Amino acid sequence: MALADTPAGPRFTSFLGLDGAFDGFHLSSGLDALAGRHGEGRGLALRITAGTGISRFRIDPLLPDRVLETTTTARLVAGWREQGRWGSATLFAGLALETRRLSPALPDPHLGTRIGPVLTLDAWLTPLERVAVQLYATYATPFAAASLRIAPGYDIGRGVHIGPEATFSTHHGTLRTRLGVHATGITIGPLGLRLSAGFAQDRGGRSGAYAGLSLWRRY
């Protein structure tokens, strides 16, 4: 949600995210830039992101040993942002680079470094007064990585939205689901803050808790 709900003033938004679950964690960072017809809250948008994460899982439930997976990603995308009474939405397209490794180095067709196109939709919709819906959908061809997050929220005051969230994602054929709650729009000085927590189900039906923290700053 770093760019989708940015008002007409700031041109740049930097962001940092930390996501932890029962099987590992993921760290991400990035920068958004808005150009073009900036005064109208619409125009050309650029986004650069990078991330890394680790997770432990069993390839075969009958095997006692767990495998450590390490992933590193980078994306460079450009798109167009539209804004109206309904909210705002940005559609991006560009390139994604991803590296995936396993330890121990077991035979797996989904390893190595790959590069390919990526498509992303980032939206902040306002269908009702004091109600907003965060919508984030993306698909990248390297390792067939796809993700969809829907997070409606009610404004309890000062722009802080609280509500449920659902995330569905796949990566090289593995489906993950997350159901939880979020608080978006908390401000601490110049920083914006998003908190989330809930229940996650990952590889092979394993399940447990997850929690996320996102920070952003506008310039």
Side-chain angles (χ1 to χ4, degrees), residues 7-169:
R11 285 183 179 271
F12 302 99
T13 301
S14 58
F15 51 91
L16 177 69
L18 177 61
D19 183 85
F22 65 95
D23 62 342
F25 73 90
H26 185 262
L27 178 66
S28 61
S29 63
L31 175 69
D32 286 342
L34 184 63
R37 302 172 68 175
H38 171 64
E40 300 179 14
R42 62 197 297 262
L44 179 66
L46 303 175
R47 173 172 292 179
I48 303 172
T49 62
T52 186
I54 62 172
S55 62
R56 292 183 65 84
F57 64 98
R58 288 189 178 95
I59 291 182
D60 188 331
L62 300 179
L63 297 177
D65 296 331
R66 293 180 181 270
V67 175
L68 180 67
E69 177 191 66
T70 303
T71 59
T72 302
T73 61
R75 295 184 178 186
L76 175 62
V77 295
W80 186 265
R81 182 187 187 216
E82 285 290 339
Q83 179 174 293
R85 293 184 178 181
W86 48 268
S88 62
T90 311
L91 181 64
F92 292 99
L95 289 177
L97 174 71
E98 179 171 348
T99 298
R100 179 174 183 262
R101 303 186 186 282
L102 294 180
S103 180
L106 301 175
D108 191 310
H110 305 288
L111 292 177
T113 299
R114 300 182 185 180
I115 187 170
V118 57
L119 190 66
T120 299
L121 173 65
D122 193 352
W124 177 267
L125 308 177
T126 52
L128 299 171
E129 185 179 0
R130 305 191 71 174
V131 174
V133 180
Q134 301 167 48
L135 176 63
Y136 180 83
T138 185
Y139 177 75
T141 56
F143 300 109
S147 180
L148 171 65
R149 183 176 72 191
I150 303 173
Y154 181 78
D155 187 350
I156 62 172
R158 298 187 177 183
V160 178
H161 290 76
I162 293 179
E165 70 172 11
T167 303
F168 309 93
S169 60

Side-chain angles (χ1 to χ4, degrees), residues 170-181:
T170 63
H171 190 239
H172 57 79
T174 300
L175 176 64
R176 300 173 174 88
T177 60
R178 293 187 176 189
L179 299 174
V181 295

